[in-house]
Amino acid sequence: MIFAIPLSFFVGAVFCILANKKITAKKIAITFALINFALCFQGNFVNNLLAKGSFGLGGWTPPYGIEFFAEPIGLTFVCLVSMIGFFGLMYAGAIPSKSKQNNNLFFALTLFLLGALQAISLSGDLFNIYVWLELSSICAFAIMGYRTKEGAFATFNYLLAAGVAGVIFLLGTGLVYGASGTLNLAQISTLPNPGQSISSGFALIITSLLIKMALTPFHFWLPDAYGNSPTKTLGVIPAIVTKAPAIILFKIALQLHQNQINWIAFEFFLPLMGAGAVIYGSLMAVKQAKLKKILAYSSIAQLGLVAIGIGILDVKGTLIQIIAHSVVKFSLFCSVGALEHFANIKTIDELKSTFQKSPILSWVFIICGFSLAGIPPFAGFFAKYYLVVSSLEKNNFFIVAVILLSSLLTAGYFLKILENIVFTKYTKKLKSLIPKTIYFPIVFNCSLVIIFGIFLPKLISALEGLA
Amino acid sequence: MNEMILMVLTGFAASLCIALSKNKHTFRNMIFITAPFLVLLQNITYQKDSLVNEIKIADFGNGLSLAVVDSPNMVATLFLYVASILWLFAAFYTLSYIQKNSLKKSTRFLSLFTLAVSSAIGISVSANLLSLFIFYELLTMATWPLVGHKENQEAKKSARLYLYYTLGGASLMMLGIVIIWKYSGNMNFQYANGMLQMVPSNLQKITMAALLLGSSVKAAIFPLHGWLPKAMVAPTPVSALLHAVAVVKAGVFAILIVIHNVIGLDLFFQSGIYKYVLFSSGFTIIYASIRACGEDNLKKRLAYSTIAHLSYIVYAGCFSLLAAVLHFLAHALMKIVLFMAAGIIQTETGKKKISEMAGIGSMLPKTFSAFTIMSLGLIGLPPVIGFVSKFQLLGYLPNGLSSIYSSIFVISGMVSAAYLLPIVIKGWFELSKTKKIKESNGMTVPILIITLSACVLTLLN
């Protein structure tokens, strides 16, 4: 049954291409997203997450067949993609398109992207991961530059980065295959004496994943790509695209850190790069005037925390950080997109009229801002809490200091946004031009920021305890 | 549902109701007054269950929970009572202040005000360090827009400074909490003593430093006091209740908890960290008292005096909880009256600076009498409770120390006379050509009642 989850997106994508005026691509996309959502969250949801095991595609078992490997971390991410995808498509559907062209291709590509992201986190062998990763990159690239000139230019950097990363990944895969004769991660993890070429192969693979997750110093493609991509894509792309490589990296790390990969080196470098990302991203975010750019740099900073969590192999902290950040950034990017598209608010200074134009979105900014800063009782807090715990276990006090500092750094750039929203003179209430349909995905995800703050830590602890 | 949880939630529910009451100002004001009544009532009628130590509001797994305690200890009980009683008086005061000053965005102001005091009440009854921390952060978030309420450049700057200070403090506190949780597994402080002993010795110093420094931001102890005078840009009810009682006392409460329950007095004295606490609080007393003399702005002068007196409590808390608690109560009563009086003076006459206050006593006799009585109390003279508490402070100092350390109290008493008496003298005896102003009852009655009760409390003691 596990194949059915990504498959539902792929089938939906095919139907989207065939859509006509009566049955629009939007409706088809949302329907299939709903089916996917139902498949992910059916029955006893927590038990589903704990389902563990290997499934050979079409009955071909590994090492010959294509293996899907289910385990809690991957499944959690599948559910996250399903949820964000569903709401992201709703958001994209609520934004009216400027041109008269139909959006069949846009929705088809988005569904392909979502399916690929789910398939990545279910894959159990390196070559599969490579294929899905490339598919997701190509789709993401196509959507970000979808029929806009500036988007196309901005995403060119992304194309270059993703292309180079893909080649490096393939190179690493080749090295591993040549030395071990298998691509299956589970089989690689049982090899008794991995040689030099396997560890160098994995070093290449990890480097490629770091480029794709835009960890400093490989972040160069991200600010422009997020800052200029069309409004429709703001639901899906920033929230989950960079998280998928992170999840893969984490899975590889957890499976192979004991024997095959020289993890001591990564335990040193990854948190260091993560700390660099936290500091660099936050400092750069302070300088920006465009809202989307601020959020993009903030994503870099928050991905730094994810990298720290992966480096010190902290399951709870990393998973909570990934989920919390996805939900928070979804709400924030969608709000910014809505404000830009309907109320012509693009920069920090223009935010001053936000409270009159849309009190709801102002509240979204306030709640998500506090969550980003890691203030309890919002979702971001426990990520920081567990990250501090794990880095204390590793006696890495530099990282502890950076994690603790990150809330101040976040305040540094987000306070400018909040001040402009909160401390402004009321004039009369302006008529809101923002359509009501756009509020639902944003408000739902924003309320999740609060709900996750209370329930997520317990759920994740349960997952880790039983995994 | 447990009554203690209900009490904490009452304030939060009231805050939400106020926020959602669009233009129904009467309804809003009713809720604003009723909330402290209800909390106080629940407080008085509360009967402890005595079967359970802590009552969980939310469970985060791994032994982490948001929980309130069933029977609060001495400091917690006192903080709870002080906060809820003064909240009631401040509520009446705030409503007439808003009316008189025609404060803008009053609904937001009242809602956040309620949220802030409720968080302070949450702090007082929280059962473990994590709950304390969560309420602490809620308090920060609720107070930030209140500090910047005037929305001019100065207010925004002060609010930003306030947030940086408190977030930095919270980060340090979080480090301490994580270490405590990791090694002792249990963070329930109201029953446990000396949780720090379970932490390995190489981490003990860091933990102590992190917890003490983290909580001394809100308690405004010397290098970390910078936000408090700046925060006086806020409307007076905020300065009165939050920056003289709720917020800063939450910081002091956290320090007392850390010293007595988390670190434990034995370890506190063995490890030698008590020297740093004594030195920094002693230095703060002298430093802030002297700084107060140089301030011409009345509220800022009072703010420096607050800084000094908070350090009195911390200083005393190193030796005796009882003396600390007594001054905790005395200072809360005295300072809220002084601030409220400053607010009335500013509202009625528009005067903020002390140099302008000649003849204020004959203009506002009731207000200024209360101000005078409480000033005397703050200096440590009868008939107000401040006299008793200062007496106790001196009495509880251990013998070995008394020669050097008691001199701090004497010196600072003299300095506080130097910064408070000139105002009183100027107000009563320097005449100016102004008429008597009719004082509004809504604002003067609360402070007169508090003054009277402070005098009565002295007699009872």
Side-chain angles (χ1 to χ4, degrees), chain B residues 285-320:
Chain B
I285 294 173
I286 302 288
Y287 170 81
S289 305
I290 292 171
R291 278 299 295 271
C293 297
E295 279 294 342
D296 192 29
N297 185 316
L298 178 56
K299 274 171 78 180
K300 283 204 174 162
R301 185 176 283 196
L302 292 178
Y304 276 112
S305 148
T306 306
I307 295 173
H309 279 267
L310 293 170
S311 285
Y312 271 60
I313 305 173
V314 174
Y315 197 97
C318 296
F319 306 113
S320 141

Short mmCIF file of all heavy atoms in Angstrom, two decimals, chain B residues 285-320:
data_model
loop_
_atom_site.label_atom_id
_atom_site.label_comp_id
_atom_site.label_asym_id
_atom_site.label_seq_id
_atom_site.Cartn_x
_atom_site.Cartn_y
_atom_site.Cartn_z
N ILE B 285 22.50 47.92 44.80
CA ILE B 285 21.79 48.77 45.76
C ILE B 285 22.41 50.17 45.79
O ILE B 285 21.73 51.19 45.64
CB ILE B 285 21.82 48.14 47.17
CG1 ILE B 285 21.03 46.84 47.18
CG2 ILE B 285 21.25 49.10 48.20
CD1 ILE B 285 21.14 46.08 48.47
N ILE B 286 23.73 50.19 45.97
CA ILE B 286 24.41 51.47 46.08
C ILE B 286 24.33 52.24 44.75
O ILE B 286 23.95 53.41 44.69
CB ILE B 286 25.90 51.26 46.45
CG1 ILE B 286 25.99 50.50 47.77
CG2 ILE B 286 26.62 52.59 46.54
CD1 ILE B 286 25.61 51.28 48.97
N TYR B 287 24.67 51.51 43.67
CA TYR B 287 24.74 52.14 42.36
C TYR B 287 23.40 52.76 41.97
O TYR B 287 23.32 53.93 41.59
CB TYR B 287 25.18 51.10 41.33
CG TYR B 287 25.06 51.54 39.90
CD1 TYR B 287 26.03 52.33 39.31
CD2 TYR B 287 23.96 51.15 39.13
CE1 TYR B 287 25.92 52.73 37.99
CE2 TYR B 287 23.84 51.54 37.81
CZ TYR B 287 24.82 52.33 37.25
OH TYR B 287 24.70 52.72 35.95
N ALA B 288 22.32 51.95 42.09
CA ALA B 288 21.02 52.43 41.64
C ALA B 288 20.53 53.57 42.52
O ALA B 288 19.90 54.51 42.04
CB ALA B 288 20.02 51.29 41.63
N SER B 289 20.83 53.50 43.82
CA SER B 289 20.40 54.59 44.70
C SER B 289 21.05 55.89 44.29
O SER B 289 20.41 56.94 44.25
CB SER B 289 20.75 54.28 46.15
OG SER B 289 20.22 53.06 46.53
N ILE B 290 22.35 55.79 43.97
CA ILE B 290 23.04 57.03 43.58
C ILE B 290 22.53 57.54 42.24
O ILE B 290 22.30 58.72 42.05
CB ILE B 290 24.57 56.79 43.55
CG1 ILE B 290 25.05 56.54 44.98
CG2 ILE B 290 25.30 57.98 42.95
CD1 ILE B 290 26.47 56.08 45.07
N ARG B 291 22.32 56.58 41.29
CA ARG B 291 21.79 56.99 40.00
C ARG B 291 20.43 57.67 40.14
O ARG B 291 20.09 58.60 39.42
CB ARG B 291 21.64 55.79 39.06
CG ARG B 291 22.90 55.35 38.35
CD ARG B 291 23.49 56.42 37.46
NE ARG B 291 22.64 56.76 36.32
CZ ARG B 291 22.68 56.15 35.15
NH1 ARG B 291 23.54 55.17 34.95
NH2 ARG B 291 21.89 56.53 34.17
N ALA B 292 19.63 57.17 41.11
CA ALA B 292 18.30 57.74 41.30
C ALA B 292 18.38 59.22 41.65
O ALA B 292 17.54 60.01 41.23
CB ALA B 292 17.55 56.97 42.38
N CYS B 293 19.41 59.58 42.43
CA CYS B 293 19.53 60.99 42.84
C CYS B 293 19.69 61.89 41.63
O CYS B 293 19.27 63.04 41.64
CB CYS B 293 20.73 61.17 43.76
SG CYS B 293 20.56 60.28 45.27
N GLY B 294 20.34 61.36 40.58
CA GLY B 294 20.62 62.22 39.44
C GLY B 294 19.50 62.33 38.43
O GLY B 294 19.61 63.06 37.47
N GLU B 295 18.43 61.56 38.60
CA GLU B 295 17.36 61.58 37.61
C GLU B 295 16.35 62.68 37.91
O GLU B 295 15.89 62.81 39.03
CB GLU B 295 16.63 60.23 37.59
CG GLU B 295 17.33 59.16 36.79
CD GLU B 295 17.38 59.45 35.31
OE1 GLU B 295 16.60 60.29 34.82
OE2 GLU B 295 18.23 58.84 34.63
N ASP B 296 16.00 63.43 36.89
CA ASP B 296 15.01 64.47 37.12
C ASP B 296 13.60 63.98 36.79
O ASP B 296 12.63 64.43 37.36
CB ASP B 296 15.36 65.69 36.26
CG ASP B 296 14.54 66.90 36.67
OD1 ASP B 296 14.17 66.95 37.87
OD2 ASP B 296 14.27 67.76 35.82
N ASN B 297 13.52 63.02 35.89
CA ASN B 297 12.23 62.44 35.54
C ASN B 297 11.74 61.58 36.71
O ASN B 297 12.44 60.67 37.17
CB ASN B 297 12.42 61.60 34.27
CG ASN B 297 11.12 61.05 33.76
OD1 ASN B 297 10.31 60.56 34.53
ND2 ASN B 297 10.92 61.14 32.46
N LEU B 298 10.54 61.88 37.20
CA LEU B 298 10.05 61.21 38.41
C LEU B 298 9.98 59.70 38.24
O LEU B 298 10.43 58.93 39.08
CB LEU B 298 8.68 61.79 38.80
CG LEU B 298 8.04 61.16 40.03
CD1 LEU B 298 8.96 61.25 41.23
CD2 LEU B 298 6.73 61.82 40.34
N LYS B 299 9.41 59.26 37.09
CA LYS B 299 9.26 57.82 36.91
C LYS B 299 10.61 57.12 36.80
O LYS B 299 10.79 56.02 37.30
CB LYS B 299 8.42 57.54 35.65
CG LYS B 299 6.93 57.55 35.94
CD LYS B 299 6.12 57.50 34.68
CE LYS B 299 6.05 56.10 34.12
NZ LYS B 299 5.25 56.07 32.88
N LYS B 300 11.57 57.80 36.17
CA LYS B 300 12.89 57.17 36.06
C LYS B 300 13.56 57.09 37.42
O LYS B 300 14.23 56.13 37.73
CB LYS B 300 13.76 57.95 35.08
CG LYS B 300 13.37 57.64 33.65
CD LYS B 300 14.49 57.89 32.69
CE LYS B 300 14.05 57.41 31.32
NZ LYS B 300 14.84 57.97 30.25
N ARG B 301 13.36 58.13 38.24
CA ARG B 301 13.93 58.10 39.57
C ARG B 301 13.34 56.93 40.36
O ARG B 301 14.06 56.18 41.01
CB ARG B 301 13.67 59.42 40.30
CG ARG B 301 14.35 59.48 41.64
CD ARG B 301 14.17 60.80 42.31
NE ARG B 301 15.06 61.83 41.74
CZ ARG B 301 15.30 63.00 42.36
NH1 ARG B 301 14.75 63.28 43.51
NH2 ARG B 301 16.08 63.89 41.80
N LEU B 302 12.03 56.77 40.22
CA LEU B 302 11.39 55.64 40.90
C LEU B 302 11.89 54.32 40.35
O LEU B 302 12.03 53.33 41.09
CB LEU B 302 9.87 55.73 40.75
CG LEU B 302 9.22 56.90 41.48
CD1 LEU B 302 7.72 56.91 41.22
CD2 LEU B 302 9.47 56.79 42.98
N ALA B 303 12.17 54.29 39.04
CA ALA B 303 12.66 53.04 38.44
C ALA B 303 14.00 52.66 39.04
O ALA B 303 14.23 51.49 39.38
CB ALA B 303 12.80 53.20 36.93
N TYR B 304 14.91 53.65 39.19
CA TYR B 304 16.20 53.32 39.82
C TYR B 304 16.01 52.87 41.24
O TYR B 304 16.70 51.97 41.73
CB TYR B 304 17.15 54.52 39.72
CG TYR B 304 17.87 54.56 38.41
CD1 TYR B 304 17.62 55.55 37.47
CD2 TYR B 304 18.79 53.57 38.10
CE1 TYR B 304 18.28 55.57 36.26
CE2 TYR B 304 19.45 53.57 36.88
CZ TYR B 304 19.20 54.57 35.97
OH TYR B 304 19.84 54.56 34.78
N SER B 305 15.05 53.50 41.91
CA SER B 305 14.78 53.07 43.28
C SER B 305 14.26 51.63 43.29
O SER B 305 14.62 50.83 44.16
CB SER B 305 13.79 54.05 43.90
OG SER B 305 12.98 53.41 44.80
N THR B 306 13.44 51.29 42.27
CA THR B 306 12.97 49.90 42.17
C THR B 306 14.15 48.95 42.02
O THR B 306 14.22 47.92 42.68
CB THR B 306 12.05 49.73 40.95
OG1 THR B 306 11.01 50.69 41.04
CG2 THR B 306 11.47 48.35 40.89
N ILE B 307 15.09 49.33 41.15
CA ILE B 307 16.26 48.47 40.93
C ILE B 307 16.97 48.22 42.25
O ILE B 307 17.32 47.09 42.59
CB ILE B 307 17.21 49.12 39.91
CG1 ILE B 307 16.53 49.22 38.55
CG2 ILE B 307 18.48 48.32 39.78
CD1 ILE B 307 17.32 50.00 37.53
N ALA B 308 17.15 49.30 43.02
CA ALA B 308 17.84 49.15 44.30
C ALA B 308 17.09 48.21 45.22
O ALA B 308 17.65 47.30 45.84
CB ALA B 308 18.00 50.51 44.95
N HIS B 309 15.76 48.40 45.28
CA HIS B 309 15.00 47.62 46.25
C HIS B 309 14.85 46.16 45.84
O HIS B 309 14.75 45.29 46.70
CB HIS B 309 13.65 48.27 46.49
CG HIS B 309 13.74 49.40 47.46
ND1 HIS B 309 13.54 49.25 48.80
CD2 HIS B 309 14.08 50.70 47.29
CE1 HIS B 309 13.74 50.38 49.42
NE2 HIS B 309 14.06 51.30 48.51
N LEU B 310 14.86 45.90 44.53
CA LEU B 310 14.83 44.50 44.10
C LEU B 310 16.08 43.79 44.59
O LEU B 310 16.05 42.64 45.02
CB LEU B 310 14.76 44.42 42.57
CG LEU B 310 13.46 44.93 41.97
CD1 LEU B 310 13.60 45.03 40.47
CD2 LEU B 310 12.33 44.01 42.32
N SER B 311 17.20 44.52 44.54
CA SER B 311 18.43 43.91 45.02
C SER B 311 18.42 43.72 46.53
O SER B 311 19.03 42.78 47.03
CB SER B 311 19.62 44.76 44.61
OG SER B 311 19.88 44.58 43.24
N TYR B 312 17.71 44.58 47.25
CA TYR B 312 17.51 44.35 48.69
C TYR B 312 16.94 42.94 48.91
O TYR B 312 17.39 42.20 49.77
CB TYR B 312 16.46 45.30 49.25
CG TYR B 312 16.92 46.63 49.76
CD1 TYR B 312 17.56 47.52 48.92
CD2 TYR B 312 16.65 47.01 51.07
CE1 TYR B 312 17.94 48.77 49.38
CE2 TYR B 312 17.02 48.24 51.53
CZ TYR B 312 17.67 49.13 50.69
OH TYR B 312 18.02 50.34 51.16
N ILE B 313 15.88 42.66 48.10
CA ILE B 313 15.19 41.38 48.31
C ILE B 313 16.12 40.22 48.01
O ILE B 313 16.20 39.26 48.76
CB ILE B 313 13.93 41.30 47.43
CG1 ILE B 313 13.04 42.51 47.68
CG2 ILE B 313 13.17 40.03 47.71
CD1 ILE B 313 11.87 42.61 46.74
N VAL B 314 16.85 40.34 46.89
CA VAL B 314 17.77 39.26 46.52
C VAL B 314 18.84 39.11 47.59
O VAL B 314 19.17 38.00 48.01
CB VAL B 314 18.39 39.55 45.15
CG1 VAL B 314 19.45 38.53 44.82
CG2 VAL B 314 17.33 39.56 44.08
N TYR B 315 19.36 40.22 48.02
CA TYR B 315 20.39 40.24 49.04
C TYR B 315 19.92 39.54 50.31
O TYR B 315 20.57 38.67 50.86
CB TYR B 315 20.72 41.71 49.35
CG TYR B 315 22.01 41.96 50.06
CD1 TYR B 315 23.14 42.31 49.35
CD2 TYR B 315 22.08 41.88 51.44
CE1 TYR B 315 24.32 42.57 50.00
CE2 TYR B 315 23.27 42.13 52.09
CZ TYR B 315 24.39 42.47 51.37
OH TYR B 315 25.56 42.73 52.01
N ALA B 316 18.74 39.93 50.75
CA ALA B 316 18.19 39.32 51.95
C ALA B 316 17.88 37.85 51.72
O ALA B 316 18.02 37.02 52.61
CB ALA B 316 16.94 40.06 52.39
N GLY B 317 17.45 37.53 50.47
CA GLY B 317 17.07 36.17 50.17
C GLY B 317 18.21 35.19 50.28
O GLY B 317 17.99 33.99 50.43
N CYS B 318 19.45 35.69 50.21
CA CYS B 318 20.58 34.78 50.37
C CYS B 318 20.68 34.24 51.79
O CYS B 318 21.25 33.19 52.02
CB CYS B 318 21.89 35.50 50.04
SG CYS B 318 22.00 36.02 48.35
N PHE B 319 20.13 34.97 52.75
CA PHE B 319 20.25 34.52 54.13
C PHE B 319 18.92 34.01 54.66
O PHE B 319 18.84 32.92 55.22
CB PHE B 319 20.74 35.67 55.02
CG PHE B 319 22.01 36.26 54.54
CD1 PHE B 319 22.05 37.54 54.05
CD2 PHE B 319 23.16 35.51 54.54
CE1 PHE B 319 23.23 38.08 53.59
CE2 PHE B 319 24.34 36.03 54.08
CZ PHE B 319 24.38 37.33 53.61
N SER B 320 17.89 34.81 54.48
CA SER B 320 16.64 34.43 55.10
C SER B 320 15.49 34.70 54.15
O SER B 320 15.33 35.81 53.65
CB SER B 320 16.46 35.21 56.40
OG SER B 320 15.12 35.59 56.54
#
